[in-house]
Amino acid sequence: MPVLDSSAFGGSETLPDRLQCDVCVIGTGPAGATIARELSHTAVRVTVLESGGPERRAEMDELNEIESIGWPRVMDQWRVRNRVIGGSSVTWSGRCAPLNEIDMQPRDWVPDSGWPFEIGDLIPYYDRSAKYLGLGEGSGFSDDRVWDYIGHQRPSPHFDDEKLLSMFWQYSRDPSSKFEQVRFGRYLTPSGLGPNVTLVTNATVLRVNASESGASVESVEFADKGGRRWKLPVSTVVVCAGGIENARILLASDNVVPHGLGNEHDLVGRYLMDHLRGTVARFDIKLGQAVLNRLGSSYYSRAVGTNIYHLGMQLSPAVQRSEQLVNCAIWVNSDRTPNDPFEALMRFLRHEANVYRDLRAILVNRALLFRGLRERYILRRSLPQTVAAVYVQAMCEQVPNRESRVTLTERRDRLAMRIPRIDWRVSDEEPRAMRRATEFMVEQLVRLGLEPPVLEDWVREGAMFPQTFRDVAHPTGTTRMSDDPVRGVVDAQCQVHGVRGLFVAGSSVFPTAGHSNPTHTIVALAIRLADALKAGVRSAAAQASDRSR
């Protein structure tokens, strides 16, 4: 796979022949990188355009500037959008879980809910996603089936399944690194991809150019880091630039179609969702240790080595229906003290240690270290820790809201792209779901004979959560999926309605978000789209062959 820096195109008036392609992929995050790897070593010629390069640079970060006029958001965009090879996987936590069946179903208490296909249609792609995500398995690892799979006995007694179900998140582990989750950019290398794929760095996409009728794609316009503009002729484009940037690119592609491509029904940028996450209750440290042992553990699989499974709970579909709640997950978390011996040991392994301080932490807590060997290698549980705080956190999906949206300001960045304005809306349904999940957990802890936590004021008072609850870098829904062009920007195959050859990948196509972190579903959908792209190119080639006879 050739890697070209657009800044090296020099004074040439034309792009290198190497860039001629059947498919242009915009972005190298989990969606774009997966599609590129799926199309590698096929007959499909692929050009991948990445705004950044191998390393983070301040001048690229500046292109992520936003205006926020709604519910407060994290303004450090590096935590949300990474203009670098690998995209948002550079700052990704590695936490994975698939959607639940109910997440994709139409729910009469959740307006504009329902996907154009069922969870069963995604299972094969979840399974295939495991190798890209560094997981032991792609599906079947998020509920009570995990206990048998990882070789642990389910703790007993357990919670009432009519209210709260066991929920596991699996954490990504990169085969090439002992301590990190998968960084997708590591696999976009000449040795990692076939000769049919070309990666162009420092190539910031400005717009997608449509045909005169607006019904098909003709080219992609991009700028190098110096601002010089280039036009890449191509008939199939996949926009994989993230939940904010996907909408921005479509809205900016307005030179043929007013208001942007795919925006005939004023839907591009609307229905912005994220996951709201925060603390709902706190334990006394001493009394909370028993709860931490029961519910705060991570488990290591005996079957697949280093993969970690973290236990939590989620609202059952039965209670979601009966109380008309959005989906919500809840789990016990803890903070380590500064002198935790395992953290000190990890700093030594990463060559980041303060020798005196960290060696002292290890020696003073050596008994805990020895106990940790038993916990990790015999019981296959998380390492014990010196605890500074024990608390309960919750994370929930949002009700889709047409007025929650991304638009473009008249202010422009240094490449003359209009800056996104984000009006993120939060409803009363999100804190209601968090409060009910918290109440159920407290009820079940008491039933099991465990000490309940002290509720946060806003939970106890039945109020809106505080504005310290911000987005968690999961922008979703801005180019939502529906078979009805009046209700969605893309169809079930992720093709923009009314624009042949224009596709969108990533969390921006989710009609609803569920409570799960989105990366697993992003990769599953990317594999599904790559299959469709391969089939489309084969069909076009066959038709061309038939015409030539």
Side-chain angles (χ1 to χ4, degrees):
M1 177 196 78
V3 179
L4 307 177
D5 187 327
S6 69
S7 303
F9 295 166
S12 173
E13 295 300 318
T14 59
L15 289 170
D17 291 342
R18 178 77 237 176
L19 267 62
Q20 294 180 11
C21 60
D22 304 303
V23 176
C24 175
V25 176
I26 300 171
T28 60
T34 298
I35 290 171
R37 290 173 68 185
E38 279 286 312
L39 296 179
S40 177
H41 296 289
T42 69
V44 183
R45 297 173 302 165
V46 182
T47 294
V48 183
L49 301 179
E50 167 54 51
S51 180
E55 305 292 337
R56 181 183 182 184
R57 298 200 317 277
E59 63 266 32
M60 304 314 294
D61 287 354
E62 291 171 0
L63 300 178
N64 282 333
E65 182 185 356
I66 63 168
E67 290 184 7
S68 177
I69 63 172
W71 186 270
R73 295 182 66 81
V74 173
M75 295 304 289
D76 178 3
Q77 291 299 286
W78 179 252
R79 295 175 58 184
V80 184
R81 301 146 75 202
N82 308 143
R83 290 181 188 260
V84 65
I85 297 173
S88 61
S89 74
V90 172
T91 54
W92 176 48
S93 73
R95 185 161 127 145
C96 290
L99 294 173
N100 304 139
E101 182 178 11
I102 193 171
D103 294 332
M104 297 179 66
Q105 294 173 339
R107 292 168 275 170
D108 55 16
W109 66 96
V110 180
D112 295 305
S113 59
W115 290 51
F117 47 85
E118 299 178 349
I119 189 70
D121 297 312
L122 267 187
I123 294 299
Y125 302 103
Y126 277 132
D127 289 335
R128 287 169 59 185
S129 72
K131 70 175 183 178
Y132 293 110
L133 291 162
L135 304 179
E137 293 289 340
S139 67
F141 66 81
S142 60
D143 56 29
D144 277 326
R145 289 174 289 179
V146 172
W147 294 112
D148 288 337
Y149 175 71
I150 64 178
H152 285 273
Q153 188 165 358
R154 183 186 184 189
S156 183
H158 49 77
F159 280 16
D160 181 354
D161 289 346
E162 286 298 308
K163 295 178 179 178
L164 292 175
L165 297 176
S166 295
M167 168 70 201
F168 284 90
W169 292 271
Q170 186 181 175
Y171 278 82
S172 165
R173 280 294 175 267
D174 195 320
S176 67
S177 172
K178 292 181 179 180
F179 307 117
E180 277 197 303
Q181 53 272 62
V182 167
R183 304 302 185 192
F184 282 72
R186 286 188 180 135
Y187 300 92
L188 299 181
T189 62
S191 61
L193 291 178
N196 62 309
V197 180
T198 300
L199 170 61
V200 184
T201 61
N202 296 305
T204 300
V205 170
L206 308 174
R207 69 172 76 231
V208 177
N209 293 314
S211 61
E212 187 175 347
S213 67
S216 61
V217 170
E218 284 194 343
S219 64
V220 172
E221 193 171 333
F222 67 92
D224 62 27
K225 61 185 177 184
R228 184 177 181 184
R229 295 186 174 221
W230 302 88
K231 192 175 290 185
L232 174 68
V234 65
S235 60
T236 301
V237 174
V238 190
V239 186
C240 312
I244 304 300
E245 205 70 16
N246 284 355
R248 183 189 192 185
I249 289 171
L250 292 187
L251 290 171
S253 302
D254 59 356
N255 54 332
V256 173
V257 179
H259 313 300
L261 293 177
N263 204 26
E264 180 181 358
H265 299 284
D266 189 24
L267 289 176
V268 174
R270 291 190 182 272
Y271 293 99
L272 171 67
M273 297 171 284
D274 210 295
H275 284 123
L276 290 141
R277 182 175 70 199
T279 299
V280 293
R282 298 178 188 274
F283 290 94
D284 176 271
I285 293 177
K286 292 182 180 178
L287 296 176
Q289 188 63 55
V291 177
L292 190 61
N293 292 341
R294 173 65 169 79
L295 292 173
S297 291
S298 297
Y299 295 85
Y300 295 82
S301 169
R302 300 181 194 277
V304 294
T306 60
N307 282 96
I308 302 172
Y309 298 79
H310 183 231
L311 174 63
M313 299 289 159
Q314 65 179 47
L315 289 173
S316 72
V319 82
Q320 288 182 58
R321 292 189 179 96
S322 65
E323 299 199 16
Q324 298 195 333
L325 297 167
V326 293
N327 208 346
C328 181
I330 189 165
W331 64 94
V332 176
N333 222 337
S334 62
D335 294 335
R336 297 175 185 266
T337 62
N339 67 335
D340 183 85
F342 296 102
E343 287 295 307
L345 186 59
M346 288 298 294
R347 286 192 288 271
F348 272 109
L349 293 173
R350 292 194 297 259
H351 307 289
E352 300 171 355
N354 177 310
V355 176
Y356 174 77
R357 180 198 64 196
D358 290 332
L359 186 58
R360 184 176 186 278
I362 290 170
L363 292 174
V364 168
N365 295 285
R366 57 188 177 276
L368 188 65
L369 276 172
F370 288 123
R371 181 158 67 87
L373 294 175
R374 179 175 180 270
E375 292 281 334
R376 171 65 179 89
Y377 294 104
I378 297 176
L379 300 180
R380 296 282 178 173
R381 290 166 58 92
S382 56
L383 294 168
Q385 57 186 269
T386 55
V387 177
V390 182
Y391 48 95
V392 182
Q393 287 201 302
M395 184 169 83
C396 72
E397 68 174 326
Q398 288 196 268
V399 175
N401 180 352
R402 181 181 169 89
E403 300 308 312
S404 183
R405 65 186 303 194
V406 176
T407 56
L408 300 183
T409 70
E410 290 306 312
R411 205 157 56 85
R412 297 175 183 263
D413 63 23
R414 64 179 176 82
L415 297 179
M417 285 280 284
R418 285 179 287 167
I419 291 168
R421 175 181 288 128
I422 300 179
D423 186 0
W424 181 36
R425 306 290 179 94
V426 171
S427 81
D428 293 336
E429 291 305 309
E430 288 93 61
R432 185 169 79 92
M434 282 194 185
R435 291 194 302 267
R436 287 302 282 147
T438 306
E439 290 161 2
F440 288 140
M441 174 170 270
V442 170
E443 172 190 300
Q444 296 302 309
L445 288 172
V446 171
R447 186 175 70 82
L448 298 183
L450 294 168
E451 188 71 23
V454 176
L455 301 181
E456 293 286 282
D457 290 345
W458 70 270
V459 178
R460 187 177 60 256
E461 295 166 3
M464 172 62 78
F465 38 57
Q467 291 196 350
T468 53
F469 280 44
R470 302 291 174 89
D471 59 300
V472 291
H474 300 167
T476 301
T478 54
T479 63
R480 68 194 325 258
M481 184 191 303
S482 174
D483 279 334
D484 181 354
V486 177
R487 298 185 65 240
V489 175
V490 303
D491 63 19
Q493 296 301 321
C494 295
Q495 182 168 245
V496 173
H497 285 292
V499 188
R500 188 173 63 255
L502 180 57
F503 297 83
V504 181
S507 59
S508 68
V509 306
F510 295 10
T512 50
H515 74 72
S516 302
N517 301 60
T519 305
H520 195 184
T521 302
I522 288 171
V523 172
L525 287 173
I527 296 169
R528 182 174 179 267
L529 174 53
D531 281 357
L533 292 172
K534 285 182 278 190
V537 170
R538 284 196 298 266
S539 174
Q543 292 174 13
S545 177
D546 289 343
R547 286 195 297 269
S548 66
R549 290 175 184 170

